[in-house]
Amino acid sequence: MELDKNHIIYKGAELFHPGFSVDCVVFGFHNNKLKVLLLKMKHTQYWALPGGFVEKEDNVDDAVIRTLQSRTGLSDVFLHQFHLFGDSKRIDENQNKELFKYFGIKPDPSNWLLQRFITVGYYALVEYSTVTPQPDYTSDACEWWDIHDIPQLIHDHNEILKKGMEALRMHLNYHPVGFNLLPPKFTVPELQRLYETILDKKLDRRNFQRKMLSYGILKKLNERRTGGAHKSPTLFKFDLRNYKKALKEGLKGGW
């Protein structure tokens, strides 16, 4: 649903649950680097995670899907809810007042956007090349940032990002990760670099390959990656049936 800023500011409490929002850490993988999608807010020097409000008739997951579709152009996204952020001081009221000032609006102190908000944190895994970053009316830009170069974010979004990263690493110990972050065909070294980037540590090449093949989630293709300076490695793809089973039932062992 497309709403103008005045409707959201003055009438939003009639449509949305006051004091309740969703924020999403959107992870992508590109050039062997883990990326996070951020918005540059119009009313401040700060960047922010993609987020939004929950309509009164929404399932919470639907609110996140709607938010991500508007920012990335994607509707089929892997989502994982990881934390509820409810600190009574998590919102910087002055930053929200700057938004009103930018739009030339003098809000009533009781305006719903100036009240306390709790937010549900999700992380999303997306294939980098399929995303078309799109800012909204409150932002000047929507861009990918390297996980190691994250700037100061609005409100408590740095903490949300930190916990989202921790949740992804924990997830990696029990479930497969890669189908949503890699292209359809990939090499085992490329998959290993993804895992090493998320975990921020080196993994033994032989142990990694043996472990990944033992899970039964990879299909070896009769194709090789060409164009590199070294020996052309074999290409693989995920066995989607076994992959989904592993997501449901989990994997044994950690990293």
Side-chain angles (χ1 to χ4, degrees):
M1 181 183 298
E2 294 293 330
L3 299 171
D4 62 43
K5 61 180 182 296
N6 288 307
H7 191 108
I8 290 179
I9 289 171
Y10 292 116
K11 299 292 186 179
E14 298 176 7
L15 176 64
F16 302 105
H17 283 283
F20 186 38
S21 61
V22 291
D23 285 294
C24 194
V25 184
V26 183
F27 291 111
F29 188 65
H30 182 62
N31 289 337
N32 295 324
K33 293 182 179 180
L34 192 64
K35 304 282 188 174
V36 177
L37 197 65
L38 298 178
L39 296 164
K40 173 64 171 63
M41 309 307 292
K42 286 182 176 178
H43 63 291
T44 176
Q45 75 273 24
Y46 294 115
W47 291 72
L49 297 170
F53 305 119
V54 180
E55 294 181 14
K56 291 184 176 179
E57 300 302 319
D58 265 343
N59 292 321
V60 179
D61 286 357
D62 292 337
V64 182
I65 292 170
R66 182 177 62 248
T67 294
L68 291 183
Q69 187 170 19
S70 69
R71 301 298 195 280
T72 68
L74 302 178
S75 57
D76 185 15
V77 176
F78 177 88
L79 285 171
H80 180 75
Q81 185 184 126
F82 64 88
H83 196 74
L84 177 70
F85 297 86
D87 191 300
S88 62
K89 303 298 183 182
R90 59 171 298 269
I91 295 297
D92 186 334
E93 185 177 312
N94 291 326
Q95 291 177 350
N96 281 356
K97 286 180 178 179
E98 284 296 314
L99 175 61
F100 287 107
K101 184 178 179 180
Y102 175 85
F103 288 125
I105 297 172
K106 292 184 178 180
D108 185 283
S110 64
N111 186 281
W112 76 294
L113 292 175
L114 295 179
Q115 306 307 307
R116 176 185 180 184
F117 270 79
I118 62 171
T119 195
V120 180
Y122 285 76
Y123 73 71
L125 305 180
V126 300
E127 210 280 280
Y128 181 93
S129 66
T130 64
V131 174
T132 303
Q134 302 172 40
D136 62 11
Y137 69 87
T138 66
S139 55
D140 287 320
C142 183
E143 299 175 2
W144 290 105
W145 283 71
D146 189 298
I147 190 67
H148 296 295
D149 298 323
I150 301 299
Q152 180 61 44
L153 304 180
I154 199 169
H155 302 315
D156 63 343
H157 286 201
N158 287 92
E159 177 65 16
I160 296 174
L161 173 54
K162 177 184 175 182
K163 286 193 176 294
M165 190 71 231
E166 291 171 353
L168 176 58
R169 286 173 176 159
M170 182 65 71
H171 189 139
L172 205 63
N173 284 316
Y174 306 105
H175 298 92
V177 169
F179 177 75
N180 307 91
L181 291 168
L182 292 172
K185 299 177 182 180
F186 53 88
T187 67
V188 171
E190 289 167 348
L191 179 61
Q192 181 172 338
R193 284 194 288 272
L194 170 62
Y195 272 63
E196 289 176 337
T197 302
I198 293 173
L199 295 169
D200 199 22
K201 68 178 183 181
K202 296 293 291 184
L203 300 172
D204 181 80
R205 180 180 61 84
R206 292 182 179 179
N207 287 340
F208 179 85
Q209 179 167 319
R210 182 170 59 251
K211 195 169 189 176
M212 293 305 301
L213 292 176
S214 72
Y215 291 145
I217 61 174
L218 300 180
K219 280 187 176 181
K220 186 177 181 180
L221 304 176
N222 190 28
E223 300 178 48
R224 291 184 176 273
R225 172 76 75 224
T226 58
H230 305 288
K231 181 180 177 181
S232 301
T234 301
L235 288 169
F236 288 79
K237 69 177 182 180
F238 285 109
D239 183 315
L240 191 54
R241 180 178 179 181
N242 287 344
Y243 191 96
K244 289 182 176 179
K245 182 179 179 181
L247 279 176
K248 183 178 180 180
E249 299 178 1
L251 299 171
K252 293 182 180 180
W255 299 99

